[in-house]
């Protein structure tokens, strides 16, 4: 028995939903564990964020294609014809073995992860491969290893609504109404708005840094563009886009199709609450990280120490909201 068949057999649960959900989350910890080994040994965080993006893309792809992988492996085992791989473009048109929502959210995650991963990798490369977040942990193997498994947890929780949606059996998803619903529209708009906001904020800050490097200005902190509307517009965009993903996925998970697919149809209101929790944990966890752990607190403390005694900084901080942009 090959390694692939062994894994497929070990994760072949009685509920098809779990047979996709569990391996997809397990892959996150596997990739991060493998990425941690050379990083911990070399005491470098250069590839930390890039490995996170790779994990997002890999887990999303696995959750989307694992049911087909299982079906093809089962057919090969009995000498039957293997089913075709899902057609992504056909799925967007309502055909092809996948639901268009699965394709849309999976593509959204991959686009976001590719953009953020390459952006962060370019930034850390420009900073000689160091990130101040790791100053106190890179020389401690247990702490550094913990950072990689924390990233696996971050990926798993953020991706949970997408993985859950992709884990629903195709036969059930095919019974969803073809028409675009309210949660579909709202979810897509929130994702597009949040993604655009984050990209614009990052580009404005990167341009500001480059201009400062070439002495085109002598400003100590950015107060232009979106940074005049919010002190952390990139983080606002991040939470918003994940809220959009959770909204679209949640609309399916709480429906009868979602409840049956997850094996929660007999649980009534409790089943719907569980479905909402699986979708809502994504933006909630992102917000928790940004507000309480590594995002806003680190940035605010760093700038307060540097410029807290300056009147222009105090004025900007007083007149600019920390998170939600002012109109």
């Amino acid at each position: 028995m090959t390694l692939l068949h062994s894994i497929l057999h070990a994760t072949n649960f009685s509920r098809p939903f779990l047979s996709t959900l569990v391996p997809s989350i397990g892959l996150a910890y596997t990739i991060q564990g493998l990425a941690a080994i050379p990083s911990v040994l070399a005491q470098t965080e250069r590839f930390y964020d890039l490995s996170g993006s790779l994990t997002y893309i890999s887990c999303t792809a696995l959750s989307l294609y694992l049911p087909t992988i299982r079906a093809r492996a089962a057919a090969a085992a009995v000498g039957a014809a293997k089913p075709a791989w899902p057609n992504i473009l056909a799925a967007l048109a309502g055909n092809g073995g996948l639901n268009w929502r699965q394709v849309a959210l999976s593509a959204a995650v991959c686009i976001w992860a590719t953009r953020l991963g390459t952006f962060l990798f370019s930034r850390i490369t420009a900073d000689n491969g160091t990130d101040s977040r790791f100053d106190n942990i890179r020389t401690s193997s247990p702490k550094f290893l913990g950072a990689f498994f924390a990233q696996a947890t971050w990926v798993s929780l953020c991706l949970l609504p997408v993985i859950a949606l992709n884990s629903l059996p195709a036969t059930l998803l095919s019974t969803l109404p073809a028409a675009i619903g309210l949660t579909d529209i709202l979810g897509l708009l929130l994702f597009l708005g949040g993604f655009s906001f984050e990209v614009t904020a990052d580009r404005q800050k990167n341009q500001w840094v480059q201009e400062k490097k070439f002495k085109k200005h002598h400003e100590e902190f950015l107060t232009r563009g979106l940074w005049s509307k919010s002190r952390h517009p990139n983080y606002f965009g991040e939470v918003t886009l994940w809220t959009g993903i959770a909204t679209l996925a949640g609309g399916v998970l709480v429906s009868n199709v979602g409840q049956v697919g997850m094996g929660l149809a007999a649980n009534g209101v409790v089943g719907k609450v569980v479905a909402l929790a699986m979708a809502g944990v994504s933006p909630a966890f992102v917000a928790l990280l940004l507000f309480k752990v590594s995002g806003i607190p680190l940035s605010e403390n760093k700038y307060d120490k540097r410029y807290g005694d300056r009147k222009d900084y105090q004025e900007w901080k007083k007149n600019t909201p920390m998170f939600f942009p002012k109109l």
Side-chain angles (χ1 to χ4, degrees), residues 102-177:
Q102 294 176 299
V103 176
L105 287 190
S106 296
V109 168
C110 291
I111 291 171
W112 167 85
T114 300
R115 201 288 306 184
L116 185 62
T118 52
F119 171 76
L120 294 177
F121 184 67
S122 298
R123 189 176 70 179
I124 197 172
T125 299
D127 291 337
N128 298 316
T130 60
D131 185 330
S132 59
R133 294 176 299 168
F134 297 88
D135 287 346
N136 297 322
I137 67 174
R138 74 169 66 89
T139 56
S140 171
S141 296
K143 290 182 179 180
F144 204 5
L145 182 62
F148 280 90
F149 282 101
Q151 182 158 250
T153 302
W154 168 56
V155 172
S156 299
L157 291 178
C158 285
L159 269 185
L160 191 56
V162 179
I163 294 176
L165 176 63
N166 289 346
S167 299
L168 296 176
T171 51
L172 283 172
L173 286 172
S174 65
T175 64
L176 281 173

Side-chain angles (χ1 to χ4, degrees), residues 288-304:
L288 175 66
L289 287 179
L290 294 178
F291 275 89
K292 298 297 182 180
V293 185
S294 66
I296 293 174
L298 289 179
S299 180
E300 292 277 311
N301 291 336
K302 180 175 72 173
Y303 279 87
D304 284 349

Side-chain angles (χ1 to χ4, degrees), residues 177-242:
I180 297 178
L182 177 61
T183 54
D184 299 327
I185 297 173
L186 183 58
L188 289 173
L189 289 177
L190 284 171
F191 173 81
L192 292 173
F195 183 72
S196 300
F197 213 86
E198 181 180 54
V199 171
T200 301
D202 283 341
R203 287 182 175 176
Q204 288 178 348
K205 187 164 187 177
N206 185 60
Q207 181 180 0
W208 180 86
V209 170
Q210 294 302 313
E211 290 175 351
K212 184 175 178 63
K213 181 179 179 181
F214 291 102
K215 302 186 185 305
K216 293 184 178 181
H217 67 76
H218 299 286
E219 301 168 359
E220 296 294 338
F221 46 91
L222 177 58
T223 60
R224 295 184 258 137
L226 294 181
W227 300 83
S228 68
K229 306 296 183 181
S230 166
R231 301 205 299 274
H232 304 280
N234 51 338
Y235 296 153
F236 171 77
E238 180 83 354
V239 173
T240 301
L241 70 88
W242 284 111

